[in-house]
Amino acid sequence: MLLCIDTGNTNTVFSIWNGDRFLATWRIATDHRRTADEYFVWLSTLIAGRKFGLDIDACIISSTAPRVMFNLRVLCSRYFDTRPLVVGKPECLLPVPPRVDAGTVVGPDRLVNTVGAFDRHGPDLIVVDFGTATTFDVVDTDGAYIGGVIAPGVNLSLEALHMGAASLPHVDVTRPARVIGTNTVACLQSGIFWGYIGLVDGVVSRVRAERDRPMKVIATGGLAPLFDQGFDLFDAIEDDLTMHGLRLIHDYNKEMGNG
């Protein structure tokens, strides 16, 4: 079985693929102090609860948090006797390499999302990922990542407001009843919700105009459904897009004799 690990700045997701489907997916807070032994105790306990064994023989990792990589590598080697594929490293092959400026390091999560989205939705895509940052990834006709846009994430923006202005409270992200808020909380919620609706709509419109062709918009990330409330911003929402992309990249490397 294949263990897929996606480490973001906020959370780390583990999924187990049995060759036909993902058996389970679990999420834990990203913490560089967590040891390989702690990962294994946590993971093996969850697996035991699902009663499908621990016969993992391959691992693949996508990480935007470099400080956690050492212990994730140790987890794979010590407990599963396998050297993990790490997306973004030269030894991890991609079906189509990214086409960006020389010397540019593309976030591995963006590469993985590109592969997953192209497999499910074909060419000419804009992948919007609502994570710690809100990213827009442009997928070309052959499935290559060709660039995109990075904006502050929704929760990051809220946290910055709360930390930078002592009088502003921390609020939940939700769709407000009205655009014009009549109290501080409602004003903040309106600014975040309608501000990000405008951000997505504006960036997507400009990317389409620059590419001068129809482009589907695929959303992923926990907050994607919040911004898909009758606005026709997205053609599809994929909650498992990153895991799907990781599995495809692993399979590609295996076919190429690299895994």
Side-chain angles (χ1 to χ4, degrees), residues 115-198:
V115 172
F118 180 73
D119 179 71
R120 285 182 170 171
H121 300 281
D124 294 319
L125 304 175
I126 303 168
V127 182
V128 186
D129 189 349
F130 293 93
T132 304
T134 299
T135 59
F136 300 76
D137 303 324
V138 181
V139 184
D140 208 351
T141 54
D142 61 349
Y145 170 88
I146 57 170
V149 175
I150 301 175
V154 176
N155 287 313
L156 188 63
S157 296
L158 280 170
E159 189 65 26
L161 277 172
H162 176 62
M163 296 295 293
S167 62
L168 295 180
H170 188 79
V171 299
D172 294 330
V173 184
T174 186
R175 179 179 178 175
R178 302 174 58 196
V179 176
I180 301 174
T182 54
N183 57 69
T184 302
V185 169
C187 289
L188 285 169
Q189 290 175 332
S190 185
I192 289 294
F193 182 82
W194 294 110
Y196 274 84
I197 289 288

Side-chain angles (χ1 to χ4, degrees), residues 16-198:
I16 295 178
W17 173 261
N18 72 349
D20 296 312
R21 63 188 179 91
F22 282 107
L23 297 176
T25 297
W26 299 289
R27 185 180 301 267
I28 192 171
T30 298
D31 185 349
H32 71 275
R33 297 168 299 179
R34 186 172 288 113
T35 67
D37 302 324
E38 289 174 310
Y39 278 122
F40 181 74
V41 170
W42 171 79
L43 188 60
S44 59
T45 301
L46 290 170
I47 289 174
R50 296 295 294 269
K51 299 181 175 61
F52 52 69
L54 197 63
D55 52 343
I56 292 168
D57 57 9
C59 300
I60 184 168
I61 302 171
S62 167
S63 176
T64 58
R67 296 176 71 187
V68 307
M69 278 303 305
F70 174 77
N71 281 305
L72 290 176
R73 286 181 180 272
V74 173
L75 168 72
C76 297
S77 61
R78 178 183 297 169
Y79 289 105
F80 305 125
D81 193 28
T82 182
R83 181 181 179 183
L85 275 172
V86 179
V87 179
K89 298 298 182 182
E91 62 270 18
C92 183
L93 306 176
L94 297 173
V96 184
R99 290 194 288 272
V100 292
D101 294 344
T104 299
V105 177
V106 181
D109 54 332
R110 308 181 79 179
L111 298 173
V112 172
N113 285 345
T114 294
V115 172
F118 180 73
D119 179 71
R120 285 182 170 171
H121 300 281
D124 294 319
L125 304 175
I126 303 168
V127 182
V128 186
D129 189 349
F130 293 93
T132 304
T134 299
T135 59
F136 300 76
D137 303 324
V138 181
V139 184
D140 208 351
T141 54
D142 61 349
Y145 170 88
I146 57 170
V149 175
I150 301 175
V154 176
N155 287 313
L156 188 63
S157 296
L158 280 170
E159 189 65 26
L161 277 172
H162 176 62
M163 296 295 293
S167 62
L168 295 180
H170 188 79
V171 299
D172 294 330
V173 184
T174 186
R175 179 179 178 175
R178 302 174 58 196
V179 176
I180 301 174
T182 54
N183 57 69
T184 302
V185 169
C187 289
L188 285 169
Q189 290 175 332
S190 185
I192 289 294
F193 182 82
W194 294 110
Y196 274 84
I197 289 288

